[in-house]
């Protein structure tokens, strides 16, 4: 049986859809029962409602080891998709606990229960040393301890460290580092918020670039790596590198929205993230939407290479034109 964490999130839900469609036995960990409806909604959008009942849902917290132990009974493979994302300083400790300690618990139990293989979903945020003399990043790139990192990136790097430690202790692992993931069914979280903001007329862009990829491709690569004799390697999952301006224009064109964007300069974002911090401090329960680290990252022009995964699995990625069109047509 396959164990999936984060099954109520974008990647985890798409993974459950694919695994059940392949008639594989899956157990999915959840914390909040109401969030299961998000995954069910994806199955309905994709006209796969009949597959949803194949999922064995199991309530557990990544930081509650006794609960997790029960979830690992009869498990042979693990896909660890769960992670917390926040830019609110008061929640940072919780994020570190989930993304680092939670991952440590997952790999420790995988070792204890003789799990055959473990797939960890990380992020391109953990790779920031470019190849010497270029602005390119590949799987040989390392974490730059002197670089400017968001709290989220630090937590994901810490999670990776736990996975590599478990690999040294005998667990067969693969790590994937996706770019910004776009997928159907989650308009209010992650990359879905970008489309939602474009739909509401968000007017700004920054002079930076990022790597993008579809949730479908992330899932295909994960399953391909788990099904093949590939161990203890990492793989960057990026369909293409694209400027924020081009990305926003593509989305707006598909939404039939105007594309008269204004370029946000660094000094503007310096004011914006400070204002965001101030409003968060004043308004109860308001979460940060823009941090200093996020503002800085929005001007980065590093390019991510995808040669290794393409060669290893003989894989071709969907273009952003295709997956953005598919998502927007399904969600309008």
């Amino acid at each position: 049986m396959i164990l999936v964490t984060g099954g109520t999130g974008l990647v985890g839900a798409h993974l459950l859809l694919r695994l059940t469609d392949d008639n594989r036995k899956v157990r999915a960990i959840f914390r909040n029962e109401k969030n299961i409806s998000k995954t069910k909604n994806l199955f309905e959008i994709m006209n796969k409602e009949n597959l949803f009942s194949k999922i064995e849902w199991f309530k557990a917290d990544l930081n509650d080891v006794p609960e997790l132990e029960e979830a690992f009974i009869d498990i042979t493979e693990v896909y660890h998709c769960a992670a917390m994302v926040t830019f609110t300083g008061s929640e940072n400790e919780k994020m570190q606990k989930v993304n680092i300690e939670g991952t440590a618990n997952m790999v420790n139990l995988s070792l204890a229960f003789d799990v055959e293989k473990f797939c960890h979903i990380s992020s391109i945020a953990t790779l920031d040393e470019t190849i010497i003399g270029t602005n390119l990043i590949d799987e040989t790139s390392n974490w730059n301890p002197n670089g400017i990192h968001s709290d989220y990136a630090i937590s994901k790097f810490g999670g990776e460290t736990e996975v590599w430690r478990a690999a040294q202790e005998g667990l067969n692992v693969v790590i994937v580092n996706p770019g910004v993931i776009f997928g159907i069914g989650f308009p209010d979280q992650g990359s879905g918020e970008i489309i939602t903001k474009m739909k509401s007329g968000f007017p700004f862009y920054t002079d930076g670039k990022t790597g993008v990829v579809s949730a479908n491709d992330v899932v295909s690569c994960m399953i391909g790596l788990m099904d093949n004799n590939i161990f203890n390697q990492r793989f960057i999952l990026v369909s293409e590198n694209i400027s924020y301006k081009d990305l926003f224009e593509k989305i707006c064109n598909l939404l039939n929205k105007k594309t008269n964007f204004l370029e946000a300069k660094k000094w503007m974002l310096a004011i914006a993230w400070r204002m965001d911090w101030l409003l968060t401090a004043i308004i109860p329960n308001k979460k940060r939407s823009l941090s200093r680290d996020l503002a800085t990252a929005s001007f980065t022009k590093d390019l991510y290479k995808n040669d290794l995964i393409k060669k290893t699995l003989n894989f071709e990625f969907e273009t952003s034109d295709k997956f953005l069109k598919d998502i927007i047509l399904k969600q309008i």
Side-chain angles (χ1 to χ4, degrees):
M1 178 175 275
I2 298 169
L3 181 63
V4 176
T5 69
T8 58
L10 175 63
V11 175
H14 280 79
L15 176 61
L16 289 172
L17 181 65
R18 187 76 60 84
L19 292 173
T20 52
D21 202 22
D22 289 346
N23 204 30
R24 306 198 197 196
K25 293 182 65 176
V26 293
R27 179 179 297 151
I29 290 175
F30 73 96
R31 286 191 309 109
N32 190 328
E33 192 166 354
K34 70 177 183 180
N35 290 335
I36 295 177
S37 62
K38 297 178 181 179
T39 303
K40 187 177 182 180
N41 180 59
L42 172 66
F43 278 65
E44 291 171 350
I45 291 173
M46 301 305 294
N47 296 316
K48 300 283 187 178
E49 298 99 321
N50 60 309
L51 299 177
F52 184 77
S53 61
K54 293 184 176 182
I55 303 169
E56 179 186 316
W57 290 98
F58 191 97
K59 188 172 184 178
D61 190 299
L62 295 184
N63 295 113
D64 188 325
V65 174
E67 282 186 346
L68 281 180
E69 284 181 333
E70 291 188 43
F72 270 82
I73 295 172
D74 297 326
I75 295 299
T76 57
E77 294 182 348
V78 174
Y79 289 86
H80 183 36
C81 308
M84 181 177 177
V85 183
T86 183
F87 302 106
T88 302
S90 61
E91 295 182 327
N92 181 46
E93 185 177 348
K94 181 180 178 182
M95 180 170 65
Q96 303 297 324
K97 189 172 181 64
V98 170
N99 294 354
I100 300 176
E101 292 183 31
T103 301
N105 291 334
M106 289 297 298
V107 294
N108 288 341
L109 287 171
S110 294
L111 286 165
F113 281 82
D114 295 320
V115 166
E116 295 172 7
K117 202 166 182 182
F118 186 100
C119 179
H120 178 61
I121 319 307
S122 187
S123 167
I124 55 173
T126 67
L127 304 172
D128 58 355
E129 277 194 348
T130 56
I131 299 170
I132 296 175
T134 73
N135 65 334
L136 300 176
I137 290 176
D138 66 8
E139 286 79 3
T140 65
S141 300
N142 294 314
W143 173 268
N144 179 4
N146 298 316
I148 298 175
H149 304 107
S150 67
D151 291 330
Y152 170 72
I154 293 169
S155 73
K156 293 302 287 183
F157 175 72
E160 279 192 15
T161 301
E162 293 294 338
V163 177
W164 292 128
R165 184 262 303 166
Q168 292 179 335
E169 295 177 14
L171 182 62
N172 294 321
V173 308
V174 288
I175 293 179
V176 294
N177 297 79
V180 179
I181 305 170
F182 286 85
I184 294 167
F186 290 79
D188 59 344
Q189 67 185 74
S191 61
E193 289 185 300
I194 297 176
I195 296 175
T196 300
K197 285 183 177 180
M198 295 300 104
K199 193 174 181 179
S200 64
F202 187 77
F204 299 106
Y205 73 93
T206 56
D207 184 26
K209 293 185 176 182
T210 191
V212 297
V213 65
S214 73
N216 286 331
D217 280 346
V218 172
V219 167
S220 294
C221 290
M222 289 160 56
I223 294 174
L225 292 170
M226 290 289 276
D227 286 351
N228 284 279
N229 192 31
I230 300 163
F231 306 108
N232 304 342
Q233 294 185 62
R234 79 157 74 246
F235 296 87
I236 291 174
L237 305 185
V238 165
S239 166
E240 60 194 79
N241 297 282
I242 187 170
S243 70
Y244 288 106
K245 183 180 181 182
D246 288 346
L247 174 62
F248 293 173
E249 285 182 344
K250 284 187 178 187
I251 294 171
C252 285
N253 287 333
L254 289 167
L255 291 169
N256 294 318
K257 293 284 184 178
K258 293 182 179 180
T259 59
N260 298 324
F261 295 114
L262 301 174
E263 182 179 352
K265 302 295 185 180
K266 289 184 179 181
W267 65 267
M268 296 179 184
L269 262 68
I271 295 173
W273 72 255
R274 287 176 171 85
M275 287 297 297
D276 186 71
W277 173 85
L278 182 60
L279 290 172
T280 303
I282 295 173
I283 302 174
N285 300 321
K286 184 185 184 303
K287 295 183 180 295
R288 293 291 301 273
S289 58
L290 181 64
S291 66
R292 179 182 62 178
D293 302 324
L294 192 61
T296 301
S298 68
F299 291 94
T300 300
K301 296 183 179 180
D302 293 335
L303 304 177
Y304 298 91
K305 299 185 68 176
N306 61 9
D307 304 56
L308 183 59
I309 189 68
K310 291 173 70 174
K311 179 180 178 181
T312 301
L313 295 181
N314 191 26
F315 188 81
E316 289 298 326
F317 287 92
E318 292 182 300
T319 65
S320 61
D321 287 328
K322 182 182 184 306
F323 66 71
L324 287 173
K325 182 178 180 180
D326 290 345
I327 294 166
I328 289 171
L329 286 177
K330 289 280 187 182
Q331 293 185 173
I332 287 180

